[in-house]
């Protein structure tokens, strides 16, 4: 993502760096590979009423932990 251009963000991400990174790099991006689709399906299932930030923060650690 280019740093010199002002990014228009949705209001829901506020000023939190984790939300901003998710918004800028993942939100609304088409997912076509099985590994990423499975990751998102699992995260959505685990969320079950929790705030997304509770799952997004630790998500950065185990990526690549399980090789599918």
């Amino acid at each position: 993502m280019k740093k010199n251009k002002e990014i228009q963000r949705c209001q829901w991400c506020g000023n939190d760096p984790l939300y901003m990174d998710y918004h800028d790099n993942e939100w609304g991006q088409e997912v076509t590979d099985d590994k990423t689709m499975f990751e998102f399906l699992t995260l959505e299932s685990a969320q079950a009423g929790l705030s997304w930030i509770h799952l997004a923060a630790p998500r950065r650690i185990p990526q690549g932990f399980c090789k599918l």
Side-chain angles (χ1 to χ4, degrees), residues 20-42:
M20 291 166 60
D21 179 60
Y22 177 74
H23 179 279
D24 297 348
N25 298 302
E26 296 186 60
W27 181 260
Q29 299 297 317
E30 183 178 9
V31 175
T32 57
D33 67 278
D34 290 344
K35 181 180 177 281
T36 304
M37 186 75 72
F38 181 74
E39 177 187 2
F40 287 166
L41 178 64
T42 304

Side-chain angles (χ1 to χ4, degrees), residues 3 11 27-28 30 34 40-42 50 53 55 66-67:
K3 299 289 183 186
Q11 191 174 12
W27 181 260
E30 183 178 9
D34 290 344
F40 287 166
L41 178 64
T42 304
L50 296 174
I53 198 77
L55 295 171
C66 178
K67 303 284 187 209

Side-chain angles (χ1 to χ4, degrees), residues 54-68:
H54 289 100
L55 295 171
R59 177 175 165 233
R60 299 293 182 218
I61 297 167
Q63 279 187 339
F65 176 75
C66 178
K67 303 284 187 209
L68 298 176

Side-chain angles (χ1 to χ4, degrees), residues 4-18:
N4 59 352
K5 185 178 180 185
E6 180 89 19
I7 297 172
Q8 295 289 324
R9 293 188 181 96
C10 300
Q11 191 174 12
W12 59 259
C13 69
N15 293 326
D16 186 288
L18 189 58

